[in-house]
């Protein structure tokens, strides 16, 4: 199988919705109180600085380790992160809707408390089915997102064989790329989601080994933010799934 030389995925910088969701969950509110549709949520000032810091880190990489091409989620928070991080680099960028965040359907904009209060049957169904297979009405399951990512990976391997590809996306995509690239099981993946929260502007990467297979290098790394003087944050995405 054709393989990439290196694959990175960077989660977008902190968004205004990340901040609002953290505040709403902490205060026990039912609604996050979003002013934008999910696709139009902007970065917070902290998120913009995280993206610029990521750009300074990328600029310091040796030329033979820098990305050849970048592919970004069409959601504003990811696009802005990409633009700030790659400003002046000349790296060609394309948008791909398969990198968009997971769609939550009727649960969009609700806190976990709000889901349990307004849709108790859905909370029970999600508990019964499990996080991996549960699909909220009008939304996507994790397996739905995995299917679109699987096709994207196939296209990247075909179109960019032997090249270094940088993705900008969302936290669920980081987990699911590990599932796909490393051949994890559902149990492996769910264990990762229980043990880790994907940090804003964190970097996860895989490189081809001597047999030409992608192997994990770093996961959810934020050392570049510390070195560049930016504050890491670990707010969850807007995902008001019951726990």
């Amino acid at each position: 199988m054709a393989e990439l030389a290196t694959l990175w995925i960077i989660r977008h910088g902190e968004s205004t919705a990340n901040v609002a969701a953290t505040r709403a969950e902490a205060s026990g509110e039912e609604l996050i109180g979003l002013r934008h549709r999910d696709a139009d949520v902007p970065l917070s000032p902290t998120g913009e600085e995280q993206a610029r810091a990521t750009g300074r880190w990328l600029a310091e990489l040796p030329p033979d380790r820098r990305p050849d091409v970048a592919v970004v989620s069409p959601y504003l928070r990811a696009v802005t992160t990409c633009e700030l991080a790659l400003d002046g680099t000349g790296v060609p960028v394309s948008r791909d809707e398969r990198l968009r965040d997971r769609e939550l359907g009727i649960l969009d904009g609700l806190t976990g408390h709000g889901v349990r209060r307004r849709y108790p049957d859905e909370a029970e169904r999600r508990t019964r089915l499990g996080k991996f297979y549960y699909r909220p009405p009008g939304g996507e399951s994790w397996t739905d997102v995995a299917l679109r990512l699987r096709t994207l990976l196939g296209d990247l391997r075909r179109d960019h064989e032997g090249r270094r590809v940088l993705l900008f996306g969302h936290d669920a995509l980081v987990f699911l790329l590990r599932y796909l690239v490393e051949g994890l099981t559902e149990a492996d993946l769910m264990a990762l989601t229980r043990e880790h929260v994907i940090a804003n502007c964190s970097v996860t990467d895989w490189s081809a080994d001597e047999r030409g297979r992608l192997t994990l290098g770093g996961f959810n790394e934020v050392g570049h933010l510390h070195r560049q003087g930016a504050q890491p944050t670990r707010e969850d995405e807007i995902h008001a799934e019951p726990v």
Side-chain angles (χ1 to χ4, degrees), residues 165-180:
V165 176
L166 172 58
L167 307 179
F168 289 88
H170 309 271
D171 66 340
L173 306 188
V174 178
F175 287 121
L176 285 167
L177 278 175
R178 289 206 57 181
Y179 169 77
L180 294 171

Side-chain angles (χ1 to χ4, degrees), residues 82-100:
C82 175
E83 290 174 344
L84 292 173
L86 296 181
D87 183 38
T89 65
V91 174
V93 177
S94 62
R95 301 185 189 188
D96 196 301
E97 73 284 347
R98 290 172 292 183
L99 282 172
R100 71 188 186 277

Side-chain angles (χ1 to χ4, degrees), residues 12-211:
H12 63 79
E14 181 189 71
S15 73
T16 57
N18 291 149
V19 177
T22 298
R23 184 186 308 117
E25 291 282 2
S27 61
E29 297 176 26
E30 295 184 14
L31 294 172
I32 295 172
L34 303 178
R35 295 185 299 163
H36 308 275
R37 64 174 185 162
D38 196 18
D40 298 328
V41 169
L43 294 181
S44 69
T46 295
E48 292 178 357
E49 178 50 36
Q50 290 167 340
R52 293 188 184 96
T54 301
R56 295 192 293 271
W57 163 71
L58 286 168
E60 292 176 355
L61 292 176
D64 62 351
R65 292 184 53 209
R66 295 174 189 166
D68 297 309
V69 63
V71 186
V72 60
S73 160
Y75 283 19
L76 179 61
R77 55 192 180 275
V79 170
T80 305
T81 301
C82 175
E83 290 174 344
L84 292 173
L86 296 181
D87 183 38
T89 65
V91 174
V93 177
S94 62
R95 301 185 189 188
D96 196 301
E97 73 284 347
R98 290 172 292 183
L99 282 172
R100 71 188 186 277
D101 203 1
R102 178 175 166 241
E103 297 176 1
L104 295 174
I106 65 170
L107 307 186
D108 186 38
L110 295 177
T111 64
H113 174 65
V115 172
R116 291 186 290 271
R117 285 289 302 273
R118 299 185 181 206
Y119 298 105
D121 290 345
E122 287 302 313
E124 189 281 329
R125 190 166 71 92
R126 192 266 193 181
T127 298
R128 177 169 54 84
L129 295 177
K131 184 173 184 175
F132 193 54
Y133 290 108
Y134 169 70
R135 180 186 295 115
E140 295 178 296
S141 67
W142 280 57
T143 52
D144 293 328
V145 181
L147 285 173
R148 51 177 160 96
L149 281 181
R150 196 182 294 276
T151 66
L152 174 64
L153 275 175
D155 288 351
L156 293 176
R157 285 165 163 152
R158 181 196 65 214
D159 297 339
H160 302 293
E161 179 180 3
R163 304 183 77 194
R164 298 180 295 275
V165 176
L166 172 58
L167 307 179
F168 289 88
H170 309 271
D171 66 340
L173 306 188
V174 178
F175 287 121
L176 285 167
L177 278 175
R178 289 206 57 181
Y179 169 77
L180 294 171
V181 171
E182 299 168 40
L184 303 182
T185 65
E186 176 191 358
D188 295 331
L189 177 61
M190 293 299 100
L192 281 176
T193 67
R194 289 190 297 269
E195 295 165 5
H196 300 275
V197 174
I198 303 302
N200 296 111
C201 271
S202 63
V203 179
T204 298
D205 69 275
W206 301 261
S207 295
D209 62 17
E210 63 276 3
R211 291 171 290 182

